[in-house]
Amino acid sequence: MGTMADQISVMDPTLAREGRVRVVIEDVTPAVDGGRFPIKRTVGEKVVVEADIFADGHDLLSASLLFRREDDPRWTEIPLEPLVNDRWRGSFPVTQLGRYHYTLLAWADEFKTWCAGLAKKVEAGQDVTLDLLAGAALVEAAASRAAAADAAALRNWAIDLQSSGKPTLARVELALSEQLRVLMGRYPDRQLANTYPAELVVVVEPELARFSSWYEMFPRSCSPVAGQHGTFKDCAARLPYVAELGFDVLYLPPIHPIGLTKRKGRNNAITAEPGDFGVPWAIGAAQGGHKSVNPDLGSLAEFQQLVTRAKYYGIAIALDIAFQCSPDHPYVAEHPDWFRKRADGSIQYAENPPKQYEDIYPFDFETADWRALWDELKSIFIFWCEQGVRVFRVDNPHTKSFAFWEWAITEVKKAYPDALFLAEAFTRPKVMYRLAKLGFTQSYTYFAWRNTKWDITQYFVELTRTGVREYFRPNLWPNTPDILTEYLQTGGRPAFMARLALAATLGASYGIYGPAFELGEALPREPGSEEYLDSEKYQLRHWDLDRPDSLKDFIARVNRLRRDNPALHSDWSLRFHPVDNEQMICYSKQTEDRSNIILVVVNLDPYHTHSGWIDLPLPELGFEESQSYQVHDLLTDARYSWNGPRNYVRLDPQSVPVHIFRVNRRVRTERDFDYYL
Amino acid sequence: MGTMADQISVMDPTLAREGRVRVVIEDVTPAVDGGRFPIKRTVGEKVVVEADIFADGHDLLSASLLFRREDDPRWTEIPLEPLVNDRWRGSFPVTQLGRYHYTLLAWADEFKTWCAGLAKKVEAGQDVTLDLLAGAALVEAAASRAAAADAAALRNWAIDLQSSGKPTLARVELALSEQLRVLMGRYPDRQLANTYPAELVVVVEPELARFSSWYEMFPRSCSPVAGQHGTFKDCAARLPYVAELGFDVLYLPPIHPIGLTKRKGRNNAITAEPGDFGVPWAIGAAQGGHKSVNPDLGSLAEFQQLVTRAKYYGIAIALDIAFQCSPDHPYVAEHPDWFRKRADGSIQYAENPPKQYEDIYPFDFETADWRALWDELKSIFIFWCEQGVRVFRVDNPHTKSFAFWEWAITEVKKAYPDALFLAEAFTRPKVMYRLAKLGFTQSYTYFAWRNTKWDITQYFVELTRTGVREYFRPNLWPNTPDILTEYLQTGGRPAFMARLALAATLGASYGIYGPAFELGEALPREPGSEEYLDSEKYQLRHWDLDRPDSLKDFIARVNRLRRDNPALHSDWSLRFHPVDNEQMICYSKQTEDRSNIILVVVNLDPYHTHSGWIDLPLPELGFEESQSYQVHDLLTDARYSWNGPRNYVRLDPQSVPVHIFRVNRRVRTERDFDYYL
């Protein structure tokens, strides 16, 4: 690795069009849509870059990977190594937040080619007198490119190579010496090098972008007193509970003043009753809009105190950013041209015919005043960053323009490179992927509706084994305030446990909407609906967190084992393994060095006990086929000694429908006992 | 389909960066490396274009495919149809030689969205008074974009839609009428349309580019008199024979003066004996270089006569273009700077250490005088085009610079869009693919070494079912003057028949090096070599074309059935089918309308009879599972009545190791006899 003294001239893009450049660089990975969008990494990860690199003819090539921080014009250079079939590879570490650029440089390496030819000719007993002279010329030319001390050394080499006083074989040995190879490698002739025409970009985010455990909670329901509106102070009092459960992101639905006009009542009633608190997503009232807090929750200062207090517990507060307005939002009067008009001049409320949402005005992203609208919306993120918030869950980003998101996220990250954005887009796959490409840090997924082995396997292979993983980071939610799946409605406690375990182990990032989740809330508003009955979206709820049937201890245990096992901190190592029972799924994750291996088996049927034989690819896990090993169930603390790839598992949903094993390389023997020593 | 009156302003590339453009167009196919290289078609084919097209929100979209000939700025527009999952498709025909451009245009279609919303609201019994006014405004806006007559009509529609005198339901009916839909479709509001940022290119070539049968022949060996040097006149006399065999391209190794210096002797002897004629690829002597003909073959006028005579037989003469020089080539004296120098100032001959080719000087594509070199090499193609040649087999293109080929082929095709280039590159896969991307019409392949079912299947799936087929057209050669495979050396007559049939049916384009092929020439220069003993590359040969064991009748029959069956004129329909015998391979090709279906079964083992059950995907061939059908062996004229997908085949290599069936939809019944009528 070194800095590139002479690269600037080589990087001249007109050079690549010169007819003399013979090296090709193509099919560079990773790259999203040919470099149109950045790839994503977190601090401390590395970027492994590969490319097809070749030239006409038989010349040997050399190639480098170049990288730099976006704000630093100086490239760092790392040599690429050839693999097979003209594929080359190199990697660089990303150690700081923000954006890095990377690209490739390759050239026909005349000295390398000359050395290889010389060796073959000598081996074949051919006369190499002229070859040695040619080599001396190459070394002399390198001297003219070299720093002073090296230049002198190279000139001496050149003299030796052509010295007729020395025996030919001695000169050949000099020519092929490691010392000359290293020296020449420092001063390659790169006049005709080819630089990959694009600078590719990697956005580097905090580790929380890759590994995070989310807990969604309505502040309105946090009061210890039933029927009383919760406050930021009540939220702060709830922090120890959230921390005990092991979550590191506490996500609050919108905390802004709620509109009065067309306010919805309990269970989404068209009209609110007196005393109804409305829907937090109907943002804006006389007290303010997206930069204000709902007075029922407290003051902005109290919110800041909550953020600070949460940090003490290692918890990041995530805000819900919903870019839409209640009819009472100050924007409506101040910027009527940010909204569409109906034929009678009134403002167009949200609709998806025949559904109408009269309490919500969407922004018109086709407005002629779009620049002012974009600036204002961006300033909302900046405002909350200034209050100490860095994590944003963005509501329905797929109903706002793509161009806006790309610009806004990039701009916010310029000021706050640690800001994270979770896209709450439940929509068509290509739209969800597009949002991730535009810059969203994490994305909601279809996980909630993937309940069969086939569905789960297909989906997670797509998310973790294809190019999708370069830009789309899944965040898995078994439930949300909008999604109470049929599986949870009907599956009871085993369903909640299975889905929690799946989310927490399939996904390095996952979340639950609580306390509804840990308390097993499963009643829909009406049959066939995925809406909760008496949803907190429309009313206060009072939750008994200490109910004996709460899953809080199970969840705490899962979150603790997630934290303790680095294999679960990333999704890329996920591999599914065969089980001869369609109701059971088996998969593993491991660290790159295989020092930590987690094996998960889940009974997907919440009603019946199932058993089956799993089949593990032992070599992929770093074991020999005949080796015995121990699997340690981190949920029950049971340990099993296994031997060979096929092993029997049995899971009773009425107890724990899941094994989360740590696979231990060594089985304890008598030598492991203390008294043996 | 119509011309685009208002597209020019929409195509303004700066518009796409405007913040108000909401539609995305991505993943457009076909496109080679994101549009960096053109796709290929032949005259009369069509280009089926697909893309992912979507926007934020719920608006309905419209999209168009735009295409134009490169030299015509006017676009033709064809509507795209939505498939599933945000994928859209359209197609356009390519009817003329040369280059076409194509791109896509998409927009949020406000009127379409409005119509769909109106219909749903009416169905839900909602008040649509304001909606009708909004629709009238859309129609009025369209009127302002419309041609005079349509403008008046649209204004009347607008008046009717908002006329309070008419019942609402009547106005809704007007709004949703087909007549208004068509009229509005003519004048969409495309101010915020998005144009795909690239213009993709398709190169359209003659049908011969897709479907061709090549015969390679050394003119030096065409004399009817043994030991006498053949001439162009002798070649002309051989034309009826070539035509009878059914070939439509007659390819001649280089016809230029051959160098004397370092001339190679028979069987590649280092020094030639007096009377040796040298290697045709050692081009250039006192009599001239690449634009001259070897006086032993005759005059340029006689060559032109050969070209003309060949046309009479429906045969195109293909020349071998080998960009390299003998030491005696005029270029060497005239342009010494087009070659590399050795340390003693002499010109560097070709070498691939330890191999040395002292009779060959390669060009130095890194020469500072590269522009002059490129111009001169291009002028060689132009010169031979002027002599009536349109087909070029390019020798070792992978040892000349990629940039040169892209430029040269494009330039030659500007003057001669019917010129065809076959790349003779037997090298690493990515280099071969690159050459095809750069513009070579057809490419030699690894076919000669693909002899097992697995190898053949893998390779041809890659060539015909992946993106490779958009730019790489395989031309299959069972033998060449450089390649006498072990399979042919040892397999005898059955091997020659099997390989001929495979080449001719797997490949719409194929070729043989004759008469060595039809006469079963199988002796290598030495054991383990793929070189022919007494190769025509170094000496004259006299061939007895009428030998009773010649395969000429078999070859003629295969070429005739190729011509008669359009299923064999393209490679894209190739599908492999299971046979329960590893020594047998089965595949089919069919026309798009399924009117012509060819089914091939080959016994790959030249030594033993094999039999097996083949399993046909009848629905893919357009048959019902229970339907009976007839297969007609076009080699033996035998007919079999088959029923269902599984059928028995048995092939004896000592008779004919191949079935080439035409699959006939109907089986003859008594009703097919004349007397029944």
Side-chain angles (χ1 to χ4, degrees):
Chain A
M1 205 187 296
T3 54
M4 287 181 58
D6 61 334
Q7 283 326 312
I8 305 310
S9 64
V10 171
M11 305 289 288
D12 174 1
T14 60
L15 187 63
R17 287 189 286 274
E18 270 270 330
R20 302 162 73 196
V21 173
R22 294 167 42 225
V23 182
V24 167
I25 306 173
E26 61 174 27
D27 196 13
V28 177
T29 59
V32 180
D33 293 1
R36 164 69 182 82
F37 299 102
I39 65 161
K40 296 187 173 113
R41 290 293 185 274
T42 56
V43 172
E45 286 191 307
K46 64 184 175 183
V47 181
V48 179
V49 180
E50 289 189 9
D52 290 344
I53 299 177
F54 52 87
D56 64 273
H58 308 290
D59 289 351
L60 297 183
L61 309 184
S62 287
S64 292
L65 168 61
L66 311 178
F67 73 96
R68 63 179 178 88
R69 285 186 50 81
E70 184 166 273
D71 50 11
D72 184 346
R74 291 167 305 170
W75 293 100
T76 301
E77 179 171 358
I78 289 175
L80 289 173
E81 299 298 331
L83 307 172
V84 292
N85 194 15
D86 293 317
R87 194 86 182 144
W88 295 62
R89 182 191 288 158
S91 71
F92 66 96
V94 285
T95 54
Q96 292 172 30
L97 292 176
R99 294 160 76 97
Y100 287 70
H101 289 215
Y102 58 102
T103 192
L104 303 169
L105 181 74
W107 61 97
D109 190 321
E110 213 176 349
F111 183 72
K112 224 193 230 179
T113 307
W114 175 82
C115 287
L118 181 70
K120 284 182 191 157
K121 287 180 178 180
V122 170
E123 174 131 2
Q126 294 173 4
D127 176 30
V128 294
T129 313
L130 286 180
D131 298 87
L132 284 166
L133 294 180
L138 293 178
V139 174
E140 244 164 31
S144 69
R145 290 187 295 271
D150 287 345
L154 284 165
R155 283 202 184 92
N156 285 334
W157 283 97
I159 290 165
D160 285 350
L161 288 181
Q162 56 196 314
S163 147
S164 52
K166 281 188 196 268
T168 302
L169 212 59
R171 288 190 280 152
V172 167
E173 264 173 37
L174 282 177
L176 301 180
S177 71
E178 175 66 8
Q179 207 182 338
L180 183 58
R181 196 187 66 76
V182 169
L183 205 51
M184 287 296 286
R186 264 182 229 153
Y187 306 100
D189 178 0
R190 305 208 275 208
Q191 284 186 80
L192 299 182
N194 193 5
T195 307
Y196 188 65
E199 287 189 19
L200 302 168
V201 177
V202 49
V203 171
V204 182
E205 300 180 284
E207 200 200 354
L208 197 62
R210 191 186 74 245
F211 174 55
S212 56
S213 313
W214 292 53
Y215 188 79
E216 176 173 6
M217 178 181 83
F218 278 80
R220 56 166 53 178
S221 298
C222 282
S223 170
V225 182
Q228 194 166 308
H229 197 287
T231 64
F232 292 131
K233 285 187 176 169
D234 295 331
C235 288
R238 184 69 64 83
L239 287 169
Y241 171 83
V242 176
E244 206 178 290
L245 259 63
F247 292 100
D248 48 23
V249 179
L250 174 59
Y251 147 44
L252 312 177
I255 58 171
H256 316 299
I258 297 172
L260 283 167
T261 303
K262 303 280 182 185
R263 175 176 278 193
K264 295 282 175 72
R266 292 169 175 234
N267 285 309
N268 202 25
I270 292 290
T271 48
E273 302 293 321
D276 279 352
F277 293 100
V279 179
W281 286 270
I283 295 168
Q287 302 95 331
H290 286 77
K291 296 175 187 169
S292 305
V293 296
N294 182 347
D296 288 339
L297 293 171
S299 68
L300 187 59
E302 284 162 347
F303 174 75
Q304 290 166 336
Q305 285 155 18
L306 170 63
V307 171
T308 304
R309 191 72 191 146
K311 274 183 196 146
Y312 171 82
Y313 285 99
I315 292 173
I317 296 292
L319 281 194
D320 190 324
I321 301 295
F323 283 146
Q324 57 191 23
C325 299
S326 95
D328 309 323
H329 197 296
Y331 288 154
V332 177
E334 290 164 17
H335 298 284
D337 47 342
W338 289 357
F339 304 90
R340 286 188 181 245
K341 301 288 181 306
R342 304 175 76 206
D344 63 356
S346 64
I347 288 181
Q348 178 65 61
Y349 45 79
E351 58 176 12
N352 189 4
K355 286 187 245 169
Q356 302 183 328
Y357 310 91
E358 293 182 63
D359 57 333
I360 300 291
Y361 288 174
F363 291 110
D364 174 15
F365 281 85
E366 290 186 352
T367 174
D369 195 29
W370 61 275
R371 287 187 196 277
L373 173 64
W374 283 23
D375 280 334
E376 176 60 25
L377 297 182
K378 183 195 89 171
S379 78
I380 292 168
F381 286 114
I382 298 292
F383 175 85
W384 291 108
C385 284
E386 286 163 358
Q387 315 311 314
V389 177
R390 288 293 182 279
V391 185
F392 300 99
R393 176 271 198 192
V394 177
D395 189 75
N396 283 330
H398 58 294
T399 59
K400 287 90 195 172
S401 91
F402 296 130
F404 164 72
W405 289 123
E406 185 168 28
W407 172 84
I409 293 173
T410 306
E411 289 296 307
V412 172
K413 278 176 162 286
K414 277 183 192 164
Y416 298 95
D418 55 344
L420 305 185
F421 301 83
L422 167 63
E424 187 254 2
F426 290 108
T427 180
R428 307 186 313 280
K430 286 166 188 172
V431 176
M432 292 176 65
Y433 286 155
R434 180 79 180 193
L435 289 164
K437 291 176 186 174
L438 296 169
F440 279 93
T441 311
Q442 299 183 347
S443 306
Y444 281 70
T445 69
Y446 304 139
F447 167 72
W449 302 283
R450 297 287 181 269
N451 291 299
T452 67
K453 176 151 76 174
W454 194 88
D455 278 347
I456 292 170
T457 306
Q458 293 296 308
Y459 191 44
F460 282 90
V461 165
E462 175 173 325
L463 294 181
T464 63
R465 305 291 300 273
T466 71
V468 166
R469 72 184 194 178
E470 297 292 348
Y471 60 86
F472 185 94
R473 291 201 197 92
N475 188 329
L476 311 184
W477 292 70
N479 76 328
T480 78
D482 302 313
I483 304 171
L484 172 63
T485 63
E486 195 185 353
Y487 189 87
L488 293 181
Q489 289 179 31
T490 60
R493 185 181 175 84
F496 280 77
M497 292 173 82
R499 296 301 296 176
L500 188 288
L502 286 166
T505 55
L506 285 169
S509 289
Y510 89 110
I512 58 169
Y513 154 52
F517 191 87
E518 63 264 33
L519 296 180
E521 184 87 354
L523 281 181
R525 191 195 295 158
E526 66 238 348
S529 166
E530 289 195 338
E531 291 281 341
Y532 280 91
L533 180 66
D534 300 332
S535 167
E536 292 172 289
K537 291 197 290 185
Y538 312 101
Q539 66 185 74
L540 313 186
R541 289 290 297 271
H542 185 71
W543 302 101
D544 177 5
L545 302 181
D546 295 321
R547 255 168 46 194
D549 63 343
S550 170
L551 284 170
K552 66 182 179 183
D553 293 340
F554 176 74
I555 295 170
R557 184 142 198 159
V558 170
N559 279 336
R560 200 172 320 121
L561 74 86
R562 272 169 56 87
R563 222 171 269 187
D564 293 345
N565 288 278
L568 297 175
H569 298 189
S570 164
D571 292 330
W572 288 22
S573 70
L574 179 67
R575 296 291 182 279
F576 291 92
H577 309 302
V579 200
D580 60 355
N581 181 329
E582 271 311 289
Q583 295 288 358
M584 303 183 82
I585 192 165
C586 174
Y587 51 88
S588 67
K589 283 184 171 180
Q590 55 181 312
T591 52
E592 204 178 333
D593 65 2
R594 291 173 173 165
S595 64
N596 184 242
I597 303 175
I598 294 294
L599 179 70
V600 181
V601 189
V602 183
N603 176 357
L604 300 171
D605 175 358
Y607 309 111
H608 304 99
T609 297
H610 282 275
S611 63
W613 289 86
I614 64 173
D615 205 341
L616 297 178
L618 293 185
E620 275 181 36
L621 302 174
F623 293 95
E624 287 166 29
E625 290 284 343
S626 62
Q627 199 172 342
S628 70
Y629 48 98
Q630 187 198 65
V631 295
H632 173 197
D633 191 331
L634 303 173
L635 294 174
T636 62
D637 232 11
R639 290 166 195 257
Y640 306 88
S641 191
W642 283 3
N643 212 321
R646 278 178 68 80
N647 289 282
Y648 179 80
V649 284
R650 181 176 182 281
L651 287 164
D652 176 359
Q654 295 312 316
S655 135
V656 184
V658 184
H659 285 307
I660 302 179
F661 293 123
R662 179 159 50 212
V663 184
N664 294 319
R665 197 158 301 276
R666 287 182 60 243
V667 177
R668 280 175 82 88
T669 72
E670 70 283 5
R671 291 175 185 266
D672 293 308
F673 292 101
D674 286 346
Y675 56 74
Y676 191 90
L677 297 172
Chain B
M1 206 188 294
T3 55
M4 287 181 59
D6 61 335
Q7 285 324 314
I8 305 310
S9 63
V10 172
M11 305 290 287
D12 174 2
T14 61
L15 187 64
R17 287 190 286 275
E18 270 269 331
R20 300 161 74 195
V21 173
R22 294 167 42 226
V23 182
V24 167
I25 306 172
E26 62 175 26
D27 195 14
V28 177
T29 59
V32 180
D33 294 1
R36 163 69 182 82
F37 299 102
I39 65 161
K40 298 189 172 107
R41 291 292 184 276
T42 55
V43 172
E45 286 191 308
K46 63 185 176 183
V47 181
V48 179
V49 181
E50 289 189 8
D52 291 344
I53 299 178
F54 51 86
D56 65 274
H58 309 291
D59 289 350
L60 297 184
L61 309 183
S62 288
S64 292
L65 168 61
L66 311 178
F67 73 96
R68 63 179 178 88
R69 285 186 50 82
E70 184 166 273
D71 50 11
D72 184 346
R74 290 166 306 168
W75 292 100
T76 302
E77 180 171 0
I78 288 175
L80 289 172
E81 300 297 331
L83 306 172
V84 292
N85 194 15
D86 293 318
R87 194 86 183 145
W88 294 63
R89 182 191 290 159
S91 72
F92 66 96
V94 285
T95 54
Q96 292 172 28
L97 291 175
R99 295 160 74 96
Y100 287 71
H101 289 215
Y102 58 101
T103 192
L104 303 168
L105 181 74
W107 61 96
D109 191 321
E110 213 177 347
F111 184 71
K112 224 193 229 179
T113 307
W114 175 82
C115 286
L118 180 70
K120 284 181 192 159
K121 288 179 177 182
V122 169
E123 175 132 359
Q126 294 172 3
D127 176 28
V128 294
T129 314
L130 286 179
D131 297 88
L132 284 167
L133 294 181
L138 293 178
V139 174
E140 243 163 34
S144 69
R145 291 186 294 271
D150 287 344
L154 284 164
R155 283 201 184 94
N156 284 334
W157 283 96
I159 291 165
D160 284 350
L161 288 181
Q162 57 197 313
S163 147
S164 52
K166 280 189 198 267
T168 301
L169 211 61
R171 288 189 281 152
V172 167
E173 263 173 39
L174 283 178
L176 302 180
S177 71
E178 175 67 9
Q179 207 182 339
L180 182 57
R181 195 187 66 76
V182 170
L183 205 51
M184 287 295 286
R186 263 181 229 155
Y187 306 101
D189 178 0
R190 304 208 274 207
Q191 284 187 79
L192 299 182
N194 194 5
T195 306
Y196 188 66
E199 286 189 20
L200 303 167
V201 177
V202 49
V203 170
V204 183
E205 299 181 284
E207 201 200 352
L208 197 63
R210 190 186 75 248
F211 174 56
S212 56
S213 313
W214 292 54
Y215 188 79
E216 176 174 5
M217 179 181 83
F218 278 79
R220 56 168 52 179
S221 299
C222 282
S223 168
V225 183
Q228 192 165 309
H229 197 288
T231 64
F232 293 133
K233 284 186 177 167
D234 296 331
C235 289
R238 184 70 63 83
L239 287 168
Y241 172 83
V242 176
E244 206 178 290
L245 260 64
F247 292 100
D248 48 23
V249 179
L250 174 59
Y251 146 45
L252 311 178
I255 58 170
H256 315 300
I258 297 173
L260 283 167
T261 305
K262 304 279 183 185
R263 175 177 280 194
K264 296 281 176 71
R266 293 169 176 235
N267 286 309
N268 201 26
I270 292 290
T271 47
E273 302 292 321
D276 278 351
F277 293 100
V279 180
W281 286 270
I283 295 168
Q287 302 94 331
H290 285 78
K291 296 174 186 170
S292 305
V293 296
N294 182 346
D296 288 339
L297 292 171
S299 67
L300 186 60
E302 283 161 347
F303 173 74
Q304 289 166 335
Q305 284 155 18
L306 170 62
V307 171
T308 305
R309 191 72 191 146
K311 274 184 195 145
Y312 171 81
Y313 284 100
I315 293 173
I317 296 293
L319 281 194
D320 190 324
I321 301 296
F323 283 146
Q324 58 191 22
C325 298
S326 95
D328 309 323
H329 197 296
Y331 288 155
V332 177
E334 290 164 17
H335 299 281
D337 47 342
W338 288 357
F339 304 89
R340 286 187 180 245
K341 301 288 180 307
R342 303 176 76 206
D344 63 356
S346 65
I347 288 181
Q348 177 66 62
Y349 45 79
E351 58 177 12
N352 188 5
K355 285 185 247 169
Q356 303 184 325
Y357 309 91
E358 294 182 63
D359 57 334
I360 300 292
Y361 289 175
F363 290 111
D364 175 14
F365 281 85
E366 290 186 352
T367 173
D369 196 30
W370 61 274
R371 288 187 196 276
L373 173 63
W374 284 22
D375 280 334
E376 177 59 24
L377 297 183
K378 182 195 88 170
S379 78
I380 293 168
F381 286 115
I382 298 292
F383 175 84
W384 291 108
C385 283
E386 286 164 357
Q387 316 311 315
V389 177
R390 288 293 183 279
V391 187
F392 301 98
R393 177 272 197 193
V394 177
D395 189 75
N396 284 331
H398 58 294
T399 59
K400 287 90 196 172
S401 91
F402 296 131
F404 164 72
W405 289 123
E406 185 169 29
W407 173 83
I409 293 173
T410 306
E411 289 296 308
V412 172
K413 278 177 162 287
K414 276 183 193 164
Y416 297 95
D418 55 343
L420 304 185
F421 301 82
L422 167 63
E424 188 253 2
F426 290 107
T427 180
R428 308 187 311 282
K430 285 166 189 173
V431 176
M432 292 177 64
Y433 285 157
R434 180 78 180 193
L435 289 165
K437 291 176 186 176
L438 297 169
F440 280 94
T441 311
Q442 299 183 346
S443 306
Y444 281 70
T445 70
Y446 304 138
F447 167 73
W449 303 282
R450 296 290 180 269
N451 292 299
T452 67
K453 176 150 77 173
W454 194 89
D455 278 348
I456 292 170
T457 306
Q458 292 297 307
Y459 190 45
F460 282 89
V461 165
E462 175 173 326
L463 294 181
T464 64
R465 305 291 300 272
T466 71
V468 166
R469 73 184 194 179
E470 297 292 348
Y471 59 87
F472 186 94
R473 290 201 197 92
N475 188 331
L476 312 184
W477 292 71
N479 76 329
T480 78
D482 302 313
I483 304 171
L484 172 63
T485 63
E486 194 185 353
Y487 189 88
L488 293 180
Q489 289 178 32
T490 60
R493 185 182 175 83
F496 280 78
M497 292 175 83
R499 296 301 296 176
L500 187 288
L502 286 166
T505 55
L506 285 168
S509 288
Y510 90 110
I512 58 170
Y513 154 52
F517 191 88
E518 63 264 31
L519 296 180
E521 184 87 354
L523 282 180
R525 192 195 298 160
E526 67 238 348
S529 165
E530 289 195 338
E531 291 282 339
Y532 280 90
L533 180 67
D534 300 331
S535 168
E536 290 172 290
K537 291 196 291 185
Y538 311 101
Q539 66 185 76
L540 313 186
R541 288 292 297 271
H542 185 71
W543 302 101
D544 176 4
L545 302 181
D546 294 321
R547 252 167 48 193
D549 62 344
S550 170
L551 284 170
K552 66 181 178 181
D553 293 339
F554 175 74
I555 294 170
R557 184 143 197 159
V558 169
N559 280 335
R560 199 173 318 121
L561 74 85
R562 272 168 56 86
R563 221 171 270 188
D564 293 346
N565 288 278
L568 296 174
H569 297 190
S570 165
D571 292 331
W572 288 22
S573 71
L574 179 67
R575 295 291 182 280
F576 292 92
H577 309 301
V579 201
D580 59 356
N581 181 329
E582 271 311 289
Q583 296 286 1
M584 303 183 83
I585 192 166
C586 174
Y587 50 89
S588 66
K589 283 184 169 181
Q590 54 182 312
T591 51
E592 205 179 332
D593 64 2
R594 291 173 173 164
S595 64
N596 184 241
I597 303 175
I598 294 293
L599 179 71
V600 181
V601 189
V602 183
N603 176 358
L604 299 171
D605 176 357
Y607 309 110
H608 303 99
T609 297
H610 283 275
S611 62
W613 289 86
I614 63 173
D615 205 341
L616 297 178
L618 293 186
E620 275 181 36
L621 302 174
F623 292 96
E624 288 166 29
E625 291 283 345
S626 62
Q627 200 171 340
S628 69
Y629 49 97
Q630 187 197 66
V631 295
H632 174 195
D633 191 330
L634 302 174
L635 294 173
T636 62
D637 233 11
R639 291 165 194 257
Y640 306 89
S641 193
W642 282 2
N643 212 320
R646 279 179 68 79
N647 289 283
Y648 179 81
V649 284
R650 181 177 183 280
L651 287 164
D652 176 359
Q654 296 313 318
S655 133
V656 184
V658 184
H659 286 306
I660 302 180
F661 292 124
R662 178 158 52 210
V663 184
N664 294 319
R665 199 158 298 279
R666 287 180 62 242
V667 176
R668 281 176 81 89
T669 71
E670 71 282 7
R671 291 176 183 267
D672 293 308
F673 292 101
D674 286 345
Y675 55 74
Y676 190 91
L677 297 172

